[in-house]
Short mmCIF file of all heavy atoms in Angstrom, two decimals:
data_model
loop_
_atom_site.label_atom_id
_atom_site.label_comp_id
_atom_site.label_asym_id
_atom_site.label_seq_id
_atom_site.Cartn_x
_atom_site.Cartn_y
_atom_site.Cartn_z
N VAL W 245 -35.43 110.93 -109.44
CA VAL W 245 -34.01 110.58 -109.30
C VAL W 245 -33.87 109.20 -108.72
O VAL W 245 -33.16 108.30 -109.27
CB VAL W 245 -33.24 111.62 -108.53
CG1 VAL W 245 -31.73 111.20 -108.32
CG2 VAL W 245 -33.38 112.94 -109.14
N ILE W 246 -34.52 109.03 -107.60
CA ILE W 246 -34.41 107.65 -106.96
C ILE W 246 -35.02 106.58 -107.92
O ILE W 246 -34.42 105.53 -107.98
CB ILE W 246 -35.20 107.69 -105.60
CG1 ILE W 246 -34.61 108.71 -104.64
CG2 ILE W 246 -35.39 106.37 -104.97
CD1 ILE W 246 -33.30 108.36 -104.17
N LYS W 247 -36.13 106.88 -108.47
CA LYS W 247 -36.75 105.90 -109.35
C LYS W 247 -35.82 105.36 -110.51
O LYS W 247 -35.65 104.18 -110.84
CB LYS W 247 -38.02 106.31 -109.89
CG LYS W 247 -39.24 106.26 -108.99
CD LYS W 247 -40.47 106.55 -109.75
CE LYS W 247 -41.60 105.61 -109.40
NZ LYS W 247 -42.64 105.99 -110.30
N ASN W 248 -35.07 106.33 -111.02
CA ASN W 248 -34.20 105.96 -112.20
C ASN W 248 -32.92 105.34 -111.69
O ASN W 248 -32.19 104.75 -112.50
CB ASN W 248 -33.79 107.29 -112.90
CG ASN W 248 -34.87 107.60 -114.00
OD1 ASN W 248 -35.43 106.67 -114.61
ND2 ASN W 248 -34.99 108.89 -114.23
N LEU W 249 -32.71 105.38 -110.28
CA LEU W 249 -31.46 104.83 -109.91
C LEU W 249 -31.50 103.49 -109.25
O LEU W 249 -30.54 103.03 -108.67
CB LEU W 249 -30.85 105.91 -108.94
CG LEU W 249 -30.22 107.04 -109.73
CD1 LEU W 249 -29.83 108.13 -108.68
CD2 LEU W 249 -29.11 106.62 -110.55
N ASN W 250 -32.61 102.84 -109.31
CA ASN W 250 -32.77 101.51 -108.62
C ASN W 250 -31.69 100.59 -108.82
O ASN W 250 -31.24 99.96 -107.91
CB ASN W 250 -33.99 100.87 -109.11
CG ASN W 250 -35.25 101.27 -108.30
OD1 ASN W 250 -35.15 101.94 -107.20
ND2 ASN W 250 -36.46 100.97 -108.64
N LEU W 251 -31.12 100.71 -109.98
CA LEU W 251 -30.13 99.61 -110.35
C LEU W 251 -28.78 99.86 -109.63
O LEU W 251 -27.97 98.90 -109.63
CB LEU W 251 -29.83 99.61 -111.80
CG LEU W 251 -31.06 99.17 -112.59
CD1 LEU W 251 -31.08 99.46 -114.01
CD2 LEU W 251 -31.04 97.61 -112.45
N TYR W 252 -28.56 101.07 -109.25
CA TYR W 252 -27.17 101.25 -108.62
C TYR W 252 -27.24 101.19 -107.12
O TYR W 252 -26.42 101.91 -106.50
CB TYR W 252 -26.81 102.64 -109.25
CG TYR W 252 -26.70 102.54 -110.62
CD1 TYR W 252 -27.73 103.02 -111.45
CD2 TYR W 252 -25.49 101.99 -111.27
CE1 TYR W 252 -27.64 103.04 -112.84
CE2 TYR W 252 -25.44 101.97 -112.63
CZ TYR W 252 -26.53 102.45 -113.44
OH TYR W 252 -26.51 102.31 -114.81
N GLY W 253 -28.12 100.38 -106.56
CA GLY W 253 -28.27 100.33 -105.22
C GLY W 253 -27.01 99.93 -104.45
O GLY W 253 -27.01 100.10 -103.20
N GLU W 254 -26.06 99.45 -105.05
CA GLU W 254 -24.88 98.96 -104.29
C GLU W 254 -24.03 100.16 -103.74
O GLU W 254 -23.24 100.03 -102.84
CB GLU W 254 -23.92 98.21 -105.17
CG GLU W 254 -24.37 96.78 -105.47
CD GLU W 254 -24.57 96.01 -104.07
OE1 GLU W 254 -23.53 96.06 -103.27
OE2 GLU W 254 -25.63 95.57 -103.82
N MET W 255 -24.20 101.35 -104.30
CA MET W 255 -23.23 102.41 -103.98
C MET W 255 -23.86 103.78 -103.76
O MET W 255 -23.87 104.54 -104.57
CB MET W 255 -22.26 102.53 -105.15
CG MET W 255 -22.04 101.27 -105.87
SD MET W 255 -21.06 101.49 -107.31
CE MET W 255 -20.73 99.78 -107.72
N HIS W 256 -24.32 103.96 -102.51
CA HIS W 256 -25.12 105.22 -102.36
C HIS W 256 -24.23 106.47 -102.55
O HIS W 256 -24.82 107.53 -102.83
CB HIS W 256 -25.82 105.20 -101.03
CG HIS W 256 -25.01 105.10 -99.88
ND1 HIS W 256 -24.58 104.03 -99.25
CD2 HIS W 256 -24.63 106.22 -99.13
CE1 HIS W 256 -23.84 104.37 -98.19
NE2 HIS W 256 -23.76 105.66 -98.10
N ARG W 257 -23.05 106.40 -102.19
CA ARG W 257 -22.22 107.62 -102.22
C ARG W 257 -21.96 108.03 -103.70
O ARG W 257 -21.51 109.17 -103.88
CB ARG W 257 -20.90 107.57 -101.48
CG ARG W 257 -19.85 106.69 -102.12
CD ARG W 257 -18.57 106.45 -101.38
NE ARG W 257 -19.04 105.97 -100.04
CZ ARG W 257 -18.59 106.58 -98.96
NH1 ARG W 257 -18.01 107.68 -98.97
NH2 ARG W 257 -19.00 106.04 -97.80
N PHE W 258 -22.21 107.06 -104.65
CA PHE W 258 -21.98 107.49 -106.12
C PHE W 258 -23.24 107.90 -106.70
O PHE W 258 -23.27 108.26 -107.98
CB PHE W 258 -21.40 106.38 -106.71
CG PHE W 258 -20.00 105.99 -106.27
CD1 PHE W 258 -19.80 104.85 -105.63
CD2 PHE W 258 -18.91 106.91 -106.43
CE1 PHE W 258 -18.55 104.54 -105.13
CE2 PHE W 258 -17.66 106.53 -105.98
CZ PHE W 258 -17.47 105.42 -105.29
N ILE W 259 -24.34 107.99 -105.94
CA ILE W 259 -25.62 108.45 -106.60
C ILE W 259 -25.48 109.75 -107.36
O ILE W 259 -25.93 109.86 -108.51
CB ILE W 259 -26.74 108.40 -105.55
CG1 ILE W 259 -27.05 106.97 -105.16
CG2 ILE W 259 -27.94 109.03 -106.16
CD1 ILE W 259 -28.19 106.85 -104.10
N PRO W 260 -24.91 110.78 -106.70
CA PRO W 260 -24.80 112.10 -107.44
C PRO W 260 -23.96 111.90 -108.79
O PRO W 260 -24.43 112.41 -109.87
CB PRO W 260 -24.04 113.00 -106.46
CG PRO W 260 -24.21 112.38 -105.12
CD PRO W 260 -24.34 110.87 -105.27
N ALA W 261 -22.89 111.05 -108.66
CA ALA W 261 -22.13 110.95 -109.85
C ALA W 261 -23.00 110.14 -111.03
O ALA W 261 -23.05 110.64 -112.14
CB ALA W 261 -20.85 110.11 -109.54
N VAL W 262 -23.56 109.06 -110.57
CA VAL W 262 -24.33 108.30 -111.57
C VAL W 262 -25.40 109.11 -112.01
O VAL W 262 -25.84 109.16 -113.29
CB VAL W 262 -24.83 107.02 -110.95
CG1 VAL W 262 -25.75 106.32 -111.92
CG2 VAL W 262 -23.70 106.17 -110.49
N ALA W 263 -26.17 109.86 -111.14
CA ALA W 263 -27.25 110.69 -111.49
C ALA W 263 -26.94 111.74 -112.51
O ALA W 263 -27.69 112.08 -113.31
CB ALA W 263 -27.87 111.27 -110.31
N SER W 264 -25.77 112.28 -112.34
CA SER W 264 -25.22 113.44 -113.24
C SER W 264 -25.13 112.99 -114.72
O SER W 264 -25.21 113.74 -115.57
CB SER W 264 -23.98 114.12 -112.78
OG SER W 264 -22.93 113.26 -113.13
N TRP W 265 -24.94 111.69 -114.91
CA TRP W 265 -24.81 111.13 -116.36
C TRP W 265 -26.21 111.16 -116.95
O TRP W 265 -26.36 111.26 -118.13
CB TRP W 265 -24.30 109.78 -116.35
CG TRP W 265 -23.01 109.63 -115.56
CD1 TRP W 265 -22.09 110.55 -115.29
CD2 TRP W 265 -22.54 108.33 -115.07
NE1 TRP W 265 -21.00 110.05 -114.60
CE2 TRP W 265 -21.36 108.74 -114.28
CE3 TRP W 265 -23.00 107.09 -114.90
CZ2 TRP W 265 -20.60 107.78 -113.72
CZ3 TRP W 265 -22.21 106.17 -114.27
CH2 TRP W 265 -21.03 106.43 -113.66
N TYR W 266 -27.22 111.17 -116.10
CA TYR W 266 -28.56 111.21 -116.59
C TYR W 266 -29.09 112.59 -116.80
O TYR W 266 -30.29 112.87 -117.09
CB TYR W 266 -29.58 110.45 -115.70
CG TYR W 266 -29.42 109.05 -115.68
CD1 TYR W 266 -28.82 108.31 -114.58
CD2 TYR W 266 -29.70 108.21 -116.80
CE1 TYR W 266 -28.59 106.97 -114.56
CE2 TYR W 266 -29.61 106.89 -116.66
CZ TYR W 266 -29.12 106.28 -115.69
OH TYR W 266 -28.88 104.94 -115.57
N GLY W 267 -28.12 113.56 -116.46
CA GLY W 267 -28.58 114.97 -116.56
C GLY W 267 -29.30 115.41 -115.37
O GLY W 267 -29.95 116.52 -115.44
N VAL W 268 -29.10 114.83 -114.20
CA VAL W 268 -29.73 115.34 -112.94
C VAL W 268 -28.99 116.54 -112.55
O VAL W 268 -27.82 116.55 -112.50
CB VAL W 268 -29.67 114.30 -111.91
CG1 VAL W 268 -30.01 114.72 -110.54
CG2 VAL W 268 -30.73 113.12 -112.40
N ARG W 269 -29.71 117.62 -112.16
CA ARG W 269 -29.04 118.84 -111.59
C ARG W 269 -28.86 118.74 -110.15
O ARG W 269 -29.87 118.44 -109.51
CB ARG W 269 -29.89 120.07 -112.01
CG ARG W 269 -30.17 120.22 -113.49
CD ARG W 269 -31.32 121.15 -113.68
NE ARG W 269 -32.54 120.55 -113.15
CZ ARG W 269 -33.70 121.14 -112.98
NH1 ARG W 269 -34.00 122.28 -113.49
NH2 ARG W 269 -34.75 120.49 -112.50
N PHE W 270 -27.68 118.97 -109.64
CA PHE W 270 -27.52 118.95 -108.24
C PHE W 270 -26.68 120.07 -107.68
O PHE W 270 -26.09 120.79 -108.40
CB PHE W 270 -26.73 117.56 -107.84
CG PHE W 270 -25.48 117.50 -108.52
CD1 PHE W 270 -24.36 117.95 -107.98
CD2 PHE W 270 -25.27 116.82 -109.74
CE1 PHE W 270 -22.99 117.89 -108.63
CE2 PHE W 270 -24.04 116.71 -110.38
CZ PHE W 270 -22.98 117.24 -109.80
N THR W 271 -26.97 120.32 -106.39
CA THR W 271 -26.16 121.35 -105.71
C THR W 271 -25.76 120.84 -104.34
O THR W 271 -26.12 119.78 -103.92
CB THR W 271 -27.00 122.63 -105.62
OG1 THR W 271 -26.17 123.64 -105.16
CG2 THR W 271 -28.08 122.35 -104.66
N GLU W 272 -24.94 121.73 -103.68
CA GLU W 272 -24.48 121.28 -102.37
C GLU W 272 -24.89 122.37 -101.31
O GLU W 272 -24.93 123.56 -101.61
CB GLU W 272 -22.91 121.31 -102.47
CG GLU W 272 -22.30 120.04 -101.99
CD GLU W 272 -20.76 120.12 -102.31
OE1 GLU W 272 -20.28 121.15 -102.76
OE2 GLU W 272 -20.12 119.20 -101.97
#
Side-chain angles (χ1 to χ4, degrees):
V245 176
I246 294 294
K247 276 189 141 186
N248 276 328
L249 284 175
N250 271 348
L251 289 164
Y252 301 95
E254 282 304 306
M255 328 173 168
H256 67 270
R257 73 183 54 236
F258 296 110
I259 290 180
V262 175
S264 77
W265 311 332
Y266 289 107
V268 166
R269 299 160 299 172
F270 57 88
T271 188
E272 239 175 354

